[in-house]
Amino acid sequence: MLNIARKELKSMFASPMGWIILALLTFSFGTYYLNGVNNYFEVMSGSIRPAERIGVTQFVGQTVYGLASFIMLFAVPLLSMRLISEERRSQTMPFLFSAPLSISEIVVGKFLGLVVFLSILVVYIAAMLSTLNIWADIDFGYIFANSLGLLLLVSSFAALGLYFSSLTAQPIIAGILSFIALFVLMILDRFFAGDPTSTMLKFSLMRHFQSFAGGLMDTADLAYFGLFILTFITLTIRRLDADRLRG
């Protein structure tokens, strides 16, 4: 399983797309970080009363993490679309099935490879915000909660993208389907905002990310992301297992 994860991670760094996405995202996050710091001094300088001021961690962090949750919606389908569909297209699936590994190990290995790659971006954001501690007292708890929430969010994106990648031999189709599904799951809370009792609100990814974005960790949200990831990994395993039985 770890060998599969290592192979997928190496393939992402060996691909120009992996480096391009990594470079674009780090540049975007860095730009928003600098803009957030500049805006903080501009806005807070006009807030005379202490009650009108908010911490620099929250002010800058909500900008960067908010951007990250939105951009990852586009980046993860591009990274996940080739995980299994490329194996189908290049007709290397029989070789993968013949390896001394179970289907579960193959799927989890591919998932972990992508999650480790995405974790680099999450750590980058956390390290960048931690530099604020050089000149101000910052809330490390807020950074940790947001980083954990973002990691769970992108891991959910990766699990769903992996599942759609297992359905087709065309990476582009897998990427498009993943993006559409994730986009709908991200904005479900807006469709049902007028009915707070609607059960559909519970399936909104963004709704469960909001508690982390506020610096809180809710066990219900942790359970939701855990079950979401487990569900789509299980569906992927069953899909590949059915393909292996059909030969």
Side-chain angles (χ1 to χ4, degrees), residues 59-113:
F59 188 95
V60 180
Q62 65 186 4
T63 300
V64 179
Y65 283 109
L67 173 74
S69 63
F70 176 74
I71 290 185
M72 289 297 192
L73 178 63
F74 298 89
V76 176
L78 290 175
L79 292 168
S80 65
M81 66 183 186
R82 296 179 178 272
L83 289 176
I84 297 177
S85 60
E86 187 66 27
E87 303 278 1
R88 293 185 185 278
R89 191 174 66 170
S90 59
Q91 298 182 349
T92 58
M93 287 296 291
F95 299 102
L96 195 62
F97 288 152
S98 63
L101 295 169
S102 66
I103 297 296
S104 300
E105 290 175 323
I106 293 171
V107 171
V108 174
K110 286 180 173 291
F111 170 76
L112 288 178

Side-chain angles (χ1 to χ4, degrees), residues 32 58 73 91 106 122-123 142-143 174 198:
Y32 266 72
Q58 181 180 354
L73 178 63
Q91 298 182 349
I106 293 171
V122 177
V123 172
Y142 179 88
I143 295 176
S198 175

Side-chain angles (χ1 to χ4, degrees), residues 102-132:
S102 66
I103 297 296
S104 300
E105 290 175 323
I106 293 171
V107 171
V108 174
K110 286 180 173 291
F111 170 76
L112 288 178
L114 178 55
V115 169
V116 170
F117 182 85
L118 296 171
S119 298
I120 296 173
L121 294 166
V122 177
V123 172
Y124 168 75
I125 294 174
M128 190 168 52
L129 289 170
S130 296
T131 60
L132 294 171

Side-chain angles (χ1 to χ4, degrees), residues 4 25 33 91 125 146 155 158 164 190 198 215 218 227 229:
I4 295 289
L25 292 183
Y33 167 76
Q91 298 182 349
I125 294 174
N146 272 268
S155 297
F164 279 106
R190 297 189 180 183
S198 175
D218 193 327
L227 288 173
I229 293 168

Side-chain angles (χ1 to χ4, degrees), residues 54-66 126 129 132 138-150 209-217:
I54 64 174
V56 63
T57 315
Q58 181 180 354
F59 188 95
V60 180
Q62 65 186 4
T63 300
V64 179
Y65 283 109
L129 289 170
L132 294 171
I138 64 174
D139 186 352
F140 284 103
Y142 179 88
I143 295 176
F144 177 79
N146 272 268
S147 297
L148 177 61
L150 182 60
F209 175 69
Q210 285 174 350
S211 62
F212 294 97
L216 303 173
M217 289 184 289

